[in-house]
C-alpha cells in the first residue's frame, strides 16, 4: 500500500467490497453500519481537527485490501481448484491435444 488516496474514495471502495461480500442486503449488515459510523465520527470539520483521521483511513485501507484479497483468492480457488480425477480425454483437451482415434471405433 503505497499511498492512501482520498478518504471518500477509500470509503466507496470499502462499501463496494462489502456489497460483493454480503450481496444486495449489505446495508443491513453490522459491518456497513460500523464503517459508515466510523467515517462520520472521524471526519474533519471546521470546528475540530481529528487526529485519528489518518489512523482510521489507514485501517480502512488495510481492511479494503483484506476484503479484495479474500474475494480474489476465492475466485482463483474456484477456477483452479482440483475437481477430482479426470478422464484422459478431458486432460488432453485441457492442454490443447486430442487423443488419437483407435481403429474399429474403440475410442
Amino acid at each position: 500500500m503505497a499511498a492512501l488516496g482520498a478518504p471518500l474514495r477509500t470509503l466507496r471502495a470499502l462499501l463496494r467490497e462489502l456489497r460483493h461480500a454480503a450481496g444486495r442486503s449489505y446495508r443491513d449488515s453490522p459491518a456497513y453500519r460500523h464503517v459508515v459510523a466510523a467515517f462520520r465520527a472521524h471526519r474533519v470539520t471546521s470546528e475540530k481537527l481529528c487526529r485519528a483521521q489518518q489512523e482510521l483511513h489507514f485501517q480502512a485501507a488495510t481492511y479494503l485490501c483484506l476484503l479484495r484479497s479474500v474475494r480474489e483468492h476465492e475466485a482463483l480457488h474456484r477456477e483452479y481448484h482440483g475437481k477430482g480425477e479426470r478422464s484422459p480425454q478431458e486432460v488432453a483437451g485441457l492442454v490443447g491435444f486430442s487423443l488419437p482415434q483407435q481403429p474399429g471405433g474403440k475410442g
Side-chain angles (χ1 to χ4, degrees):
M1 220 180 310
L4 287 177
L8 184 61
R9 187 174 181 179
T10 303
L11 174 64
R12 287 180 179 163
L14 191 56
L15 295 179
R16 191 176 313 117
E17 288 299 323
L18 285 174
R19 185 173 55 236
H20 282 296
R24 291 191 178 263
S25 62
Y26 76 102
R27 288 184 182 224
D28 298 330
S29 70
Y32 173 83
R33 288 191 296 268
H34 174 72
V35 166
V36 171
F39 266 87
R40 284 184 182 151
H42 289 83
R43 69 179 172 221
V44 175
T45 64
S46 60
E47 299 172 3
K48 69 175 185 173
L49 177 63
C50 178
R51 293 182 190 180
Q53 182 191 19
Q54 293 297 324
E55 180 183 343
L56 173 77
H57 190 195
F58 180 75
Q59 287 177 351
T62 303
Y63 189 59
L64 172 62
C65 181
L66 170 74
L67 288 176
R68 278 185 183 156
S69 298
V70 167
R71 181 174 52 87
E72 291 172 1
H73 169 74
E74 288 175 354
L76 289 172
H77 185 73
R78 277 193 305 271
E79 184 174 347
Y80 293 109
H81 183 66
K83 295 178 176 81
E85 191 70 26
R86 296 182 179 187
S87 68
Q89 291 85 8
E90 189 178 357
V91 172
L94 284 174
V95 295
F97 294 119
S98 61
L99 295 176
Q101 295 293 324
Q102 300 233 346
K106 294 186 178 181

